Amino acid sequence: MLVLTIIANLMVVGNNISAQEITTFNTKWISARPEVLTYKVINKKWSEGIYQVSLFKSDETIEVFTNIMLPNFMKLVWGQMSTDMVAMQSISKIIIENQIILDTKCIYSDSTLIITTQMGPYNNMKEDELSFENHIIDFSQIAILLRTLSLKVGDQYSLNSVNPQKNNLNPLTITVLGKETVQDINCFKVELNTF
């Protein structure tokens, strides 16, 4: 009877381990000295613009700043997380000329996210408290997320992420499609679907 109980318990533990694959994030490469990367945005939907990401690490936290500048559009994002990519807080501001200003704030605790979004000039305010069980990817982490994963062709990830447009949680999927070389740099070609 004892042997059957042990086998049954091992089967339950085994099923729980395989059903809940744990994603690990490598942030050891992030330096205490600020890194500032600037990209040129070329997109068929929008005009050309600038996408800038700055990040640095202290003993206990990582901070990331993202600035996207396109004609008639600006997005500023700041986020703070632990060194193992657990989101702590974030703030973003989106400005669309002659249309809207969108302010979003997220505060995380162990299993709760308080997300507040204010839309101007209408002064519409929405605050939600969301419960979660597993790791959540904050919108401020997306700019550095792929650099923290150990990518291999064929890898697929499905992570919980925050949608600041609707104040809810959505799946974020990552598929590593292949490898290619861009300006003599070996790269992965990756498809990322988020809000």
Side-chain angles (χ1 to χ4, degrees):
M1 185 68 165
L2 178 62
V3 173
L4 289 176
T5 304
I6 292 171
I7 291 172
N9 286 335
L10 288 174
M11 289 175 63
V12 169
V13 169
N15 286 339
N16 286 339
I17 290 171
S18 63
Q20 195 174 34
E21 192 173 315
I22 298 171
T23 302
T24 56
F25 304 95
N26 176 9
T27 62
K28 291 178 184 170
W29 55 270
I30 301 174
S31 172
R33 296 168 56 196
E35 173 184 280
V36 180
L37 299 172
T38 304
Y39 306 93
K40 182 178 181 180
V41 176
I42 301 171
N43 189 313
K44 294 176 184 174
K45 288 183 185 178
W46 306 315
S47 302
E48 291 185 7
I50 300 293
Y51 187 105
Q52 193 167 53
V53 178
S54 306
L55 72 149
F56 58 90
K57 180 167 59 173
S58 70
D59 290 339
E60 298 177 4
T61 62
I62 297 169
E63 289 190 54
V64 63
F65 298 83
T66 305
N67 188 8
I68 302 170
M69 296 171 285
L70 300 165
N72 304 318
F73 176 88
M74 184 180 74
K75 181 176 183 178
L76 299 167
V77 179
W78 168 80
Q80 183 181 44
M81 65 204 83
S82 69
T83 55
D84 56 352
M85 291 284 285
V86 175
M88 299 164 74
Q89 57 183 325
S90 65
I91 299 170
S92 77
K93 183 179 283 284
I94 297 173
I95 300 170
I96 303 171
E97 184 181 19
N98 296 325
Q99 293 181 38
I100 197 168
I101 299 172
L102 191 67
D103 286 303
T104 302
K105 295 178 185 172
C106 294
I107 304 291
Y108 295 84
S109 66
D110 291 336
S111 60
T112 305
L113 161 62
I114 297 174
I115 181 168
T116 306
T117 302
Q118 183 170 7
M119 187 183 303
Y122 317 106
N123 292 324
N124 291 348
M125 173 85 90
K126 183 175 181 187
E127 182 173 294
D128 291 295
E129 185 172 318
L130 307 175
S131 297
F132 59 90
E133 294 178 14
N134 298 324
H135 193 102
I136 289 186
I137 300 299
D138 184 81
F139 51 84
S140 66
Q141 297 173 307
I142 292 174
I144 66 166
L145 177 63
L146 294 176
R147 294 176 66 195
T148 68
L149 298 172
S150 178
L151 301 177
K152 292 184 214 95
V153 176
D155 281 355
Q156 292 186 330
Y157 298 89
S158 182
L159 306 165
N160 290 326
S161 70
V162 178
N163 179 343
Q165 296 170 338
K166 296 184 178 178
N167 284 13
N168 65 8
L169 299 177
N170 281 359
L172 178 147
T173 59
I174 300 167
T175 305
V176 184
L177 302 174
K179 291 183 177 182
E180 62 182 52
T181 302
V182 178
Q183 296 183 356
D184 298 325
I185 299 171
N186 293 328
C187 302
F188 286 101
K189 187 173 184 176
V190 177
E191 182 178 72
L192 181 99
N193 292 316
T194 183
F195 69 91

